[in-house]
Amino acid sequence: MGRFFSDAVETAIRCIYCDLAAGRGEEGFQLLEETASEGDADACCLLARCLYGPEYVWRGHQFSTDERRGDALMRQAVLRGSAVAALTALRCGVMDEALARGMPFEDLSVPFRLVLDEAQRGDPFCQMVIGSVYYWWDFLAVEQRGPEDFADEEAFRFYLRTRFLQCEPWYLAAFRGGISLAGANLIRLYCDGEKDLVPPRPEKELELDRLGAELGFPDYQYFYACDLCSDGREEEGYALHRTAAERGEPRAFYWAGYAYEYGLGGPKDEARAAAYYERGIRASYIQNAACCTRLAQLYYFGQGVPQDYEKAFRLFQKGDELSGQNQGAYFLGYCCAFGLGTAQDYAAARAYLERIDWDCPDGFYLLGWLYCHGKGGPEDIDKGVALLRKAGDHPEAKEELTHYRQTLLTRRWVRR
């Protein structure tokens, strides 16, 4: 089976880079661990990439990050003669002068030719590696060329542009060959261009998102779902978010949960919504404050899960800490005011409710009541009445206002 890589490494590549929805990432990781321990240089390289985090591997595998161990493995891979490791070491900053002297290649052009030959034979992983050599300008180190080798600046710029643009066909070949990660730098290229050499082409990003979704890549199903929702095609978008989440894409967990909670893109299922929010909270590489807040509300109201104020309060707190956007300020204030899931604490209730920065009649009423009754701090009827009036047609706020009047001379609000 393996022409360039060993059979074990070929299998690991399929598990980790190709068959994403199959959920075999951990199987591939363990296979690399075993094969690397037996001295397989390419396995050391692939294992290092797994440890480098989401720039090098799909987020859905949830691999732990360990850059120090990754660097050590990458050095081993280069010294043991892995051609893909020699090129990847340039990208991850491991290739220093000492490692370059110690590798069993005369210079970097040798591993480049080896990987290029396999890429030309159709290996998608090698195609992605070659694409990265061009995208990250590592061709300068491979070819050992610089401005001094050209007649003038314009000739050097032409060289840079033509070399750089070779990344696109290689990345596209790898992408169509089943490696979704090959699209990551293409998206950057299409969105941002490259300095003053290549202009952005944002329309190409949408084409790539659609192609990746059609190819069944969970990450691109998520990207394309976002595109569809932004384009006003929300039913299609939310249905695709559900699919991406089912295939393990962690960035889709929140939107899938939201879709199930409100019946968007398919049937409503609050229990399933809660399960996806829970998965979103546990997902590595993601600080998912929104999942915390949505799950907290489900526990608060007992929707899809048993009502549990203590769990709700803890989740509201976690979401509040992660987001810094006051999303749970009302519920946190309400829980503190009435001792739901936490000890009753009027001062804390005031502090949370003061942070409400959106139209929240329930929050304005409760905060106004606290000020009018001197709960959690000094009594301030003027401020309390202002908040009660800000609550608009809130029935309890309107009833509470009947207990106060404005003095004729001082225009201060007092109790009737």
Side-chain angles (χ1 to χ4, degrees):
M1 180 175 61
R3 296 178 305 182
F4 188 69
F5 301 109
S6 67
D7 288 356
V9 170
E10 289 273 8
T11 300
I13 288 174
R14 284 202 305 275
C15 292
I16 295 169
Y17 288 95
C18 299
D19 302 331
L20 301 185
R24 298 176 63 198
E26 189 59 35
E27 176 188 338
F29 187 92
Q30 291 304 320
L31 188 56
L32 289 177
E33 286 274 23
E34 295 166 10
T35 312
S37 69
E38 295 167 0
D40 187 307
D42 292 323
C44 291
C45 172
L46 271 291
L47 185 56
R49 290 178 63 99
C50 291
L51 297 170
Y52 281 150
E55 276 193 83
Y56 291 85
V57 71
W58 180 47
R59 295 168 185 264
H61 292 315
Q62 303 290 301
F63 296 148
S64 297
T65 301
D66 187 341
E67 293 186 7
R68 179 175 294 183
R69 186 181 178 218
D71 287 348
L73 283 163
M74 191 63 71
R75 287 180 177 277
Q76 288 179 38
V78 173
L79 294 172
R80 290 175 179 175
S82 167
V84 292
L87 300 180
T88 306
L90 285 170
R91 165 71 185 92
C92 62
V94 170
M95 183 62 76
D96 53 22
E97 290 184 13
L99 186 58
R101 287 195 303 269
M103 67 180 182
F105 304 113
E106 182 179 350
D107 55 44
L108 288 167
S109 68
V110 177
F112 177 79
R113 285 197 302 271
L114 291 170
V115 179
L116 179 62
D117 285 347
E118 194 62 20
Q120 290 171 336
R121 292 190 186 98
D123 183 90
F125 187 84
C126 289
Q127 290 169 343
M128 179 177 69
V129 173
I130 294 297
S132 291
V133 169
Y134 289 117
Y135 181 84
W136 294 107
W137 294 36
D138 291 332
F139 57 84
L140 291 169
V142 170
E143 298 180 12
Q144 300 182 51
R145 303 184 78 181
E148 67 279 0
D149 298 310
F150 295 85
D152 53 37
E153 183 180 349
E154 189 57 35
F156 183 53
R157 282 171 52 80
F158 178 78
Y159 161 76
L160 291 176
R161 185 176 187 278
T162 53
R163 284 290 192 274
F164 173 80
L165 281 174
Q166 289 186 48
C167 74
E168 186 174 9
W170 285 118
Y171 277 145
L172 282 172
F175 193 74
R176 291 192 175 100
I179 296 188
S180 72
L181 193 66
N185 290 330
L186 276 177
I187 287 180
R188 296 188 188 100
L189 171 60
Y190 294 147
C191 289
D192 304 329
E194 178 65 11
K195 301 181 179 178
D196 58 346
L197 297 174
V198 181
R201 290 172 285 165
E203 73 285 353
K204 299 288 287 183
E205 180 196 356
L206 296 176
E207 293 176 16
L208 191 70
D209 288 350
R210 183 173 61 252
L211 174 61
E214 290 170 353
L215 290 170
F217 301 153
D219 42 358
Y220 282 84
Q221 289 174 331
Y222 162 72
F223 296 146
Y224 191 48
C226 293
D227 296 339
L228 290 170
C229 289
S230 297
D231 195 38
R233 298 160 64 183
E234 293 190 349
E235 282 297 307
E236 294 175 73
Y238 281 114
L240 197 53
H241 275 309
R242 292 179 184 227
T243 300
E246 286 167 10
R247 291 171 170 242
E249 171 51 56
R251 287 166 291 191
F253 291 155
Y254 169 76
W255 294 109
Y258 192 84
Y260 278 108
E261 184 178 355
Y262 291 100
L264 302 169
K268 182 174 179 175
D269 187 336
E270 290 173 334
R272 199 160 185 180
Y276 273 124
Y277 291 143
E278 187 72 54
R279 290 180 70 183
I281 292 168
R282 294 198 308 267
S284 60
Y285 310 129
I286 297 175
Q287 298 293 307
N288 212 324
C291 280
C292 291
T293 302
R294 294 306 317 163
L295 184 59
Q297 289 191 47
L298 293 179
Y299 274 112
Y300 183 90
F301 292 110
Q303 296 171 323
V305 290
Q307 189 172 53
D308 189 326
Y309 290 123
E310 188 174 347
K311 281 187 179 179
F313 185 77
R314 288 201 306 269
L315 285 164
F316 279 128
Q317 279 188 316
K318 184 175 180 180
D320 187 64
E321 292 166 4
L322 290 174
S323 73
Q325 295 178 357
N326 304 324
Q327 293 175 342
Y330 166 69
F331 286 102
L332 286 165
Y334 192 92
C335 287
C336 288
F338 295 96
L340 299 177
T342 187
Q344 189 174 54
D345 186 338
Y346 288 126
R350 271 201 198 194
Y352 280 124
L353 295 170
E354 289 279 15
R355 290 167 44 195
I356 294 174
D357 54 4
W358 69 95
D359 187 21
C360 182
D362 287 329
F364 299 148
Y365 158 67
L366 180 54
L367 185 57
W369 185 91
L370 291 171
Y371 272 108
C372 286
H373 292 269
K375 300 292 187 180
E379 180 182 281
D380 188 337
I381 295 177
D382 283 319
K383 188 168 184 177
V385 167
L387 286 160
L388 293 171
R389 296 175 75 178
K390 191 175 179 180
D393 291 331
H394 191 286
E396 291 173 277
K398 291 173 72 173
E399 195 281 330
E400 181 67 22
L401 281 170
T402 64
H403 299 292
Y404 308 96
R405 63 180 179 83
Q406 198 170 32
T407 61
L408 187 60
L409 296 178
T410 65
R411 311 302 296 170
R412 299 288 301 275
W413 287 90
V414 295
R415 241 176 227 93
R416 290 185 183 277

